[in-house]
Amino acid sequence: MEEALVRTDRLDISPFALAAVEAIVSGDADALERLTGAAFPRPAAPPPYMTEALPVVRERLRAHPDETAWWNWLIVERETGRAVGSVAFGGMPDSGGAVLIGYAMYPEFEGHGYATEAVRAMIGWAFRQSGVTVVRALAPVWNTPALRVAENVGMKPVAADEDDDIGEVLVYAVSAPASVGSA
């Protein structure tokens, strides 16, 4: 497994360890900030759209702590030390080498390009991991910012699906770049 910190021009992105997931799920801002070194919006809560997923992630990490890097990563604005959101994989690569990626930003940090920057960096990280051949994302057709992020990081729509709760969802994907020296 490659580095546990991914850096971009403006961001530090690091795996959300089990203790930090437990702190954010329970709303323990002091523990969360002590564990991550980042400043969080108060009251401490997950970024929108991650509230339901994090308890599931917590249970998964309790059973498989070695999979931490394949779940949630904290996005921190380096200059201020503020938590701006999270980028997450949907678990380890499947048998075909595919991983699912998603993100959620705190509302005050939306529209600043942080999601695109973080998702692009984490796609690069994923492709440096053994066996990863494709990264996919799901985006509801009505979620223009999610569609824009997928397109901005080079993903292309490859399928559509219907979700009973949110309606039509587009499946985006990007394949691993060809290796140097491959035929």
Side-chain angles (χ1 to χ4, degrees):
M1 189 69 52
E2 198 175 296
E3 72 269 17
L5 175 66
V6 174
R7 293 175 61 95
T8 68
D9 289 343
R10 302 180 294 167
L11 306 172
D12 287 335
I13 310 165
S14 58
F16 237 134
L18 174 59
V21 172
E22 289 173 334
I24 200 166
V25 167
S26 68
D28 187 342
D30 294 334
L32 185 59
E33 291 180 1
R34 186 178 64 255
L35 291 163
T36 64
F40 282 79
R42 300 288 177 128
Y49 306 113
M50 292 224 169
T51 303
E52 291 180 19
L54 281 174
V56 175
V57 170
R58 177 187 60 203
E59 295 312 310
R60 182 66 188 194
L61 292 178
R62 284 177 177 166
H64 302 279
D66 57 316
E67 294 181 8
T68 299
W70 292 109
W71 296 97
N72 289 72
W73 290 61
L74 175 64
I75 307 168
V76 176
E77 184 182 49
R78 186 176 311 111
E79 184 177 315
T80 65
R82 297 182 300 177
V84 299
S86 178
V87 63
F89 294 105
M92 295 183 65
D94 66 18
S95 61
V99 294
L100 185 65
I101 195 168
Y103 72 91
M105 305 302 292
Y106 287 109
E108 61 268 33
F109 297 106
E110 292 176 349
H112 299 281
Y114 292 131
T116 297
E117 192 172 328
V119 171
R120 181 178 288 122
M122 294 312 298
I123 288 171
W125 178 90
F127 286 144
R128 291 189 300 274
Q129 307 313 303
S130 178
V132 177
T133 59
V134 66
V135 177
R136 294 188 180 115
L138 305 176
V141 296
W142 48 262
N143 189 335
T144 304
L147 300 173
R148 193 171 323 124
V149 168
E151 291 167 1
N152 285 344
V153 300
M155 295 182 138
K156 304 289 183 210
V158 295
D161 201 359
E162 192 68 30
D163 183 283
D164 291 339
D165 294 326
I166 59 175
E168 186 179 4
V169 176
L170 295 178
V171 179
Y172 279 81
V174 63
S175 296
S179 300
V180 175
S182 63

